[in-house]
């Protein structure tokens, strides 16, 4: 007698099969480049707590480009004032790299006040700046506005 079946019955108590997540549900990859360890850690923790973000932190500006090449972020949160190399220099390195040049960069700075920057930050020279400290809500809104994850293959119409 053959004990094999083509469509076995579901096992009682077993969890139903879960479809693979689509690209729309993938976590957004955020690279934080900031020499203030406690600030970067707090931002990382708050973003990851939402379940929508995968976050990597780099506290040394000199290591930012290799970190970005390895991590391939969807967006970079970049401190403006850091020792040895400022955020503008780091941004230039990222923009010169052919694999990273399209990556959005949002500068974080304590050199302007929230009143000067406004709720959604301000643009200068085509770059977006957010004033430190920044609320988690404002940061998430900014990320969501500037990161567009590609549609999964099943969502693309031929």
């Amino acid at each position: 007698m053959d004990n094999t079946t083509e469509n076995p019955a579901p096992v009682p108590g077993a969890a139903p099969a879960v479809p693979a997540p689509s690209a729309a549900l993938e976590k957004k990859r955020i690279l934080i480049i900031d020499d203030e360890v406690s600030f970067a850690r707090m931002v990382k923790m708050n973003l990851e707590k939402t379940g929508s973000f995968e976050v990597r932190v780099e506290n040394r500006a000199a290591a930012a480009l290799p970190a970005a090449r390895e991590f391939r972020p969807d967006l970079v949160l970049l401190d403006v004032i850091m020792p040895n190399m400022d955020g503008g220099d780091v941004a230039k390195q990222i923009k010169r790299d052919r694999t990273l040049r399209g990556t959005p960069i949002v500068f974080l700075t304590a050199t302007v006040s929230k009143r000067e920057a406004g709720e959604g930050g301000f643009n200068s020279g085509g770059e977006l700046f957010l004033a430190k400290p920044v609320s988690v809500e404002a940061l998430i809104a900014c990320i969501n506005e500037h990161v567009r994850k590609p549609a999964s293959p099943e969502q693309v119409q031929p």
Side-chain angles (χ1 to χ4, degrees), residues 39-57:
F39 173 79
R41 186 180 309 129
M42 181 197 63
V43 172
K44 176 182 177 11
M45 180 189 70
N46 283 314
L47 289 177
E48 287 180 339
K49 189 169 54 172
T50 68
S52 299
F53 304 99
E54 180 180 346
V55 182
R56 179 169 172 177
V57 171

PDB file of all heavy atoms in Angstrom, residues 39-57:
ATOM      1  N   PHE A  39      23.533  59.860  21.065  1.00  0.00           N
ATOM      2  CA  PHE A  39      22.483  60.335  20.169  1.00  0.00           C
ATOM      3  C   PHE A  39      22.199  59.295  19.087  1.00  0.00           C
ATOM      4  O   PHE A  39      21.046  58.944  18.826  1.00  0.00           O
ATOM      5  CB  PHE A  39      22.884  61.671  19.527  1.00  0.00           C
ATOM      6  CG  PHE A  39      21.921  62.139  18.471  1.00  0.00           C
ATOM      7  CD1 PHE A  39      20.734  62.744  18.833  1.00  0.00           C
ATOM      8  CD2 PHE A  39      22.186  61.951  17.124  1.00  0.00           C
ATOM      9  CE1 PHE A  39      19.823  63.167  17.864  1.00  0.00           C
ATOM     10  CE2 PHE A  39      21.296  62.368  16.155  1.00  0.00           C
ATOM     11  CZ  PHE A  39      20.108  62.980  16.522  1.00  0.00           C
ATOM     12  N   ALA A  40      23.263  58.778  18.470  1.00  0.00           N
ATOM     13  CA  ALA A  40      23.101  57.784  17.399  1.00  0.00           C
ATOM     14  C   ALA A  40      22.422  56.521  17.926  1.00  0.00           C
ATOM     15  O   ALA A  40      21.544  55.959  17.267  1.00  0.00           O
ATOM     16  CB  ALA A  40      24.457  57.454  16.778  1.00  0.00           C
ATOM     17  N   ARG A  41      22.800  56.086  19.113  1.00  0.00           N
ATOM     18  CA  ARG A  41      22.201  54.891  19.715  1.00  0.00           C
ATOM     19  C   ARG A  41      20.714  55.102  19.986  1.00  0.00           C
ATOM     20  O   ARG A  41      19.894  54.226  19.736  1.00  0.00           O
ATOM     21  CB  ARG A  41      22.929  54.533  21.013  1.00  0.00           C
ATOM     22  CG  ARG A  41      22.456  53.213  21.606  1.00  0.00           C
ATOM     23  CD  ARG A  41      23.162  52.819  22.901  1.00  0.00           C
ATOM     24  NE  ARG A  41      24.609  52.883  22.791  1.00  0.00           N
ATOM     25  CZ  ARG A  41      25.400  53.527  23.662  1.00  0.00           C
ATOM     26  NH1 ARG A  41      24.892  54.149  24.703  1.00  0.00           N
ATOM     27  NH2 ARG A  41      26.702  53.526  23.510  1.00  0.00           N
ATOM     28  N   MET A  42      20.358  56.296  20.474  1.00  0.00           N
ATOM     29  CA  MET A  42      18.953  56.598  20.764  1.00  0.00           C
ATOM     30  C   MET A  42      18.126  56.607  19.477  1.00  0.00           C
ATOM     31  O   MET A  42      17.032  56.051  19.426  1.00  0.00           O
ATOM     32  CB  MET A  42      18.832  57.944  21.470  1.00  0.00           C
ATOM     33  CG  MET A  42      17.405  58.317  21.813  1.00  0.00           C
ATOM     34  SD  MET A  42      17.197  60.053  22.198  1.00  0.00           S
ATOM     35  CE  MET A  42      17.646  60.823  20.658  1.00  0.00           C
ATOM     36  N   VAL A  43      18.643  57.239  18.426  1.00  0.00           N
ATOM     37  CA  VAL A  43      17.918  57.282  17.156  1.00  0.00           C
ATOM     38  C   VAL A  43      17.749  55.866  16.610  1.00  0.00           C
ATOM     39  O   VAL A  43      16.657  55.488  16.176  1.00  0.00           O
ATOM     40  CB  VAL A  43      18.631  58.198  16.137  1.00  0.00           C
ATOM     41  CG1 VAL A  43      17.991  58.085  14.765  1.00  0.00           C
ATOM     42  CG2 VAL A  43      18.612  59.641  16.615  1.00  0.00           C
ATOM     43  N   LYS A  44      18.811  55.079  16.642  1.00  0.00           N
ATOM     44  CA  LYS A  44      18.760  53.684  16.165  1.00  0.00           C
ATOM     45  C   LYS A  44      17.685  52.911  16.916  1.00  0.00           C
ATOM     46  O   LYS A  44      16.839  52.250  16.304  1.00  0.00           O
ATOM     47  CB  LYS A  44      20.127  53.017  16.349  1.00  0.00           C
ATOM     48  CG  LYS A  44      20.175  51.546  15.985  1.00  0.00           C
ATOM     49  CD  LYS A  44      21.583  51.006  16.263  1.00  0.00           C
ATOM     50  CE  LYS A  44      21.875  49.574  16.052  1.00  0.00           C
ATOM     51  NZ  LYS A  44      21.065  48.664  15.426  1.00  0.00           N
ATOM     52  N   MET A  45      17.705  52.997  18.232  1.00  0.00           N
ATOM     53  CA  MET A  45      16.740  52.262  19.059  1.00  0.00           C
ATOM     54  C   MET A  45      15.304  52.683  18.729  1.00  0.00           C
ATOM     55  O   MET A  45      14.427  51.845  18.552  1.00  0.00           O
ATOM     56  CB  MET A  45      17.031  52.509  20.540  1.00  0.00           C
ATOM     57  CG  MET A  45      16.085  51.797  21.479  1.00  0.00           C
ATOM     58  SD  MET A  45      16.310  52.314  23.186  1.00  0.00           S
ATOM     59  CE  MET A  45      15.684  53.988  23.126  1.00  0.00           C
ATOM     60  N   ASN A  46      15.071  53.987  18.612  1.00  0.00           N
ATOM     61  CA  ASN A  46      13.713  54.473  18.335  1.00  0.00           C
ATOM     62  C   ASN A  46      13.233  54.084  16.942  1.00  0.00           C
ATOM     63  O   ASN A  46      12.059  53.765  16.761  1.00  0.00           O
ATOM     64  CB  ASN A  46      13.637  55.986  18.533  1.00  0.00           C
ATOM     65  CG  ASN A  46      13.571  56.356  19.995  1.00  0.00           C
ATOM     66  OD1 ASN A  46      12.817  55.777  20.754  1.00  0.00           O
ATOM     67  ND2 ASN A  46      14.384  57.318  20.394  1.00  0.00           N
ATOM     68  N   LEU A  47      14.110  54.105  15.955  1.00  0.00           N
ATOM     69  CA  LEU A  47      13.699  53.700  14.608  1.00  0.00           C
ATOM     70  C   LEU A  47      13.433  52.199  14.545  1.00  0.00           C
ATOM     71  O   LEU A  47      12.436  51.765  13.974  1.00  0.00           O
ATOM     72  CB  LEU A  47      14.765  54.095  13.576  1.00  0.00           C
ATOM     73  CG  LEU A  47      14.905  55.579  13.277  1.00  0.00           C
ATOM     74  CD1 LEU A  47      16.045  55.817  12.304  1.00  0.00           C
ATOM     75  CD2 LEU A  47      13.613  56.163  12.744  1.00  0.00           C
ATOM     76  N   GLU A  48      14.321  51.408  15.135  1.00  0.00           N
ATOM     77  CA  GLU A  48      14.146  49.948  15.091  1.00  0.00           C
ATOM     78  C   GLU A  48      12.916  49.502  15.860  1.00  0.00           C
ATOM     79  O   GLU A  48      12.276  48.518  15.502  1.00  0.00           O
ATOM     80  CB  GLU A  48      15.404  49.245  15.610  1.00  0.00           C
ATOM     81  CG  GLU A  48      16.545  49.336  14.625  1.00  0.00           C
ATOM     82  CD  GLU A  48      17.809  48.652  15.105  1.00  0.00           C
ATOM     83  OE1 GLU A  48      17.975  48.439  16.327  1.00  0.00           O
ATOM     84  OE2 GLU A  48      18.646  48.320  14.234  1.00  0.00           O
ATOM     85  N   LYS A  49      12.562  50.236  16.908  1.00  0.00           N
ATOM     86  CA  LYS A  49      11.390  49.895  17.722  1.00  0.00           C
ATOM     87  C   LYS A  49      10.112  49.901  16.891  1.00  0.00           C
ATOM     88  O   LYS A  49       9.168  49.186  17.214  1.00  0.00           O
ATOM     89  CB  LYS A  49      11.301  50.878  18.896  1.00  0.00           C
ATOM     90  CG  LYS A  49      10.281  50.524  19.937  1.00  0.00           C
ATOM     91  CD  LYS A  49      10.411  51.356  21.199  1.00  0.00           C
ATOM     92  CE  LYS A  49      10.391  52.834  20.919  1.00  0.00           C
ATOM     93  NZ  LYS A  49      10.334  53.650  22.140  1.00  0.00           N
ATOM     94  N   THR A  50      10.072  50.667  15.813  1.00  0.00           N
ATOM     95  CA  THR A  50       8.873  50.728  14.975  1.00  0.00           C
ATOM     96  C   THR A  50       8.686  49.455  14.153  1.00  0.00           C
ATOM     97  O   THR A  50       7.594  49.190  13.664  1.00  0.00           O
ATOM     98  CB  THR A  50       8.942  51.914  13.988  1.00  0.00           C
ATOM     99  OG1 THR A  50       9.962  51.664  13.017  1.00  0.00           O
ATOM    100  CG2 THR A  50       9.187  53.223  14.707  1.00  0.00           C
ATOM    101  N   GLY A  51       9.768  48.701  13.946  1.00  0.00           N
ATOM    102  CA  GLY A  51       9.699  47.496  13.125  1.00  0.00           C
ATOM    103  C   GLY A  51       9.807  47.770  11.636  1.00  0.00           C
ATOM    104  O   GLY A  51       9.757  46.852  10.827  1.00  0.00           O
ATOM    105  N   SER A  52       9.951  49.036  11.255  1.00  0.00           N
ATOM    106  CA  SER A  52       9.997  49.407   9.840  1.00  0.00           C
ATOM    107  C   SER A  52      11.400  49.687   9.317  1.00  0.00           C
ATOM    108  O   SER A  52      11.568  49.937   8.133  1.00  0.00           O
ATOM    109  CB  SER A  52       9.148  50.669   9.612  1.00  0.00           C
ATOM    110  OG  SER A  52       7.812  50.411   9.952  1.00  0.00           O
ATOM    111  N   PHE A  53      12.380  49.679  10.214  1.00  0.00           N
ATOM    112  CA  PHE A  53      13.718  50.090   9.821  1.00  0.00           C
ATOM    113  C   PHE A  53      14.793  49.123  10.293  1.00  0.00           C
ATOM    114  O   PHE A  53      14.702  48.577  11.386  1.00  0.00           O
ATOM    115  CB  PHE A  53      14.044  51.482  10.401  1.00  0.00           C
ATOM    116  CG  PHE A  53      13.044  52.528  10.012  1.00  0.00           C
ATOM    117  CD1 PHE A  53      12.037  52.895  10.882  1.00  0.00           C
ATOM    118  CD2 PHE A  53      13.094  53.130   8.768  1.00  0.00           C
ATOM    119  CE1 PHE A  53      11.094  53.858  10.529  1.00  0.00           C
ATOM    120  CE2 PHE A  53      12.158  54.088   8.402  1.00  0.00           C
ATOM    121  CZ  PHE A  53      11.160  54.446   9.280  1.00  0.00           C
ATOM    122  N   GLU A  54      15.796  48.950   9.445  1.00  0.00           N
ATOM    123  CA  GLU A  54      17.035  48.278   9.814  1.00  0.00           C
ATOM    124  C   GLU A  54      18.067  49.392   9.869  1.00  0.00           C
ATOM    125  O   GLU A  54      18.239  50.133   8.894  1.00  0.00           O
ATOM    126  CB  GLU A  54      17.418  47.240   8.770  1.00  0.00           C
ATOM    127  CG  GLU A  54      18.697  46.512   9.085  1.00  0.00           C
ATOM    128  CD  GLU A  54      19.068  45.492   8.031  1.00  0.00           C
ATOM    129  OE1 GLU A  54      18.223  45.146   7.178  1.00  0.00           O
ATOM    130  OE2 GLU A  54      20.216  45.042   8.049  1.00  0.00           O
ATOM    131  N   VAL A  55      18.727  49.550  10.996  1.00  0.00           N
ATOM    132  CA  VAL A  55      19.592  50.706  11.206  1.00  0.00           C
ATOM    133  C   VAL A  55      21.013  50.263  11.530  1.00  0.00           C
ATOM    134  O   VAL A  55      21.223  49.351  12.320  1.00  0.00           O
ATOM    135  CB  VAL A  55      19.053  51.596  12.348  1.00  0.00           C
ATOM    136  CG1 VAL A  55      19.929  52.829  12.536  1.00  0.00           C
ATOM    137  CG2 VAL A  55      17.605  51.994  12.086  1.00  0.00           C
ATOM    138  N   ARG A  56      21.956  50.944  10.906  1.00  0.00           N
ATOM    139  CA  ARG A  56      23.375  50.746  11.217  1.00  0.00           C
ATOM    140  C   ARG A  56      23.938  52.098  11.615  1.00  0.00           C
ATOM    141  O   ARG A  56      23.572  53.119  11.049  1.00  0.00           O
ATOM    142  CB  ARG A  56      24.121  50.201  10.015  1.00  0.00           C
ATOM    143  CG  ARG A  56      25.608  50.011  10.291  1.00  0.00           C
ATOM    144  CD  ARG A  56      26.283  49.239   9.205  1.00  0.00           C
ATOM    145  NE  ARG A  56      27.710  49.238   9.423  1.00  0.00           N
ATOM    146  CZ  ARG A  56      28.556  48.600   8.666  1.00  0.00           C
ATOM    147  NH1 ARG A  56      28.119  47.878   7.645  1.00  0.00           N
ATOM    148  NH2 ARG A  56      29.845  48.643   8.913  1.00  0.00           N
ATOM    149  N   VAL A  57      24.845  52.094  12.599  1.00  0.00           N
ATOM    150  CA  VAL A  57      25.460  53.319  13.079  1.00  0.00           C
ATOM    151  C   VAL A  57      26.955  53.275  12.807  1.00  0.00           C
ATOM    152  O   VAL A  57      27.608  52.250  13.022  1.00  0.00           O
ATOM    153  CB  VAL A  57      25.216  53.502  14.596  1.00  0.00           C
ATOM    154  CG1 VAL A  57      26.024  54.661  15.154  1.00  0.00           C
ATOM    155  CG2 VAL A  57      23.735  53.699  14.884  1.00  0.00           C
TER     156      VAL A  57
END
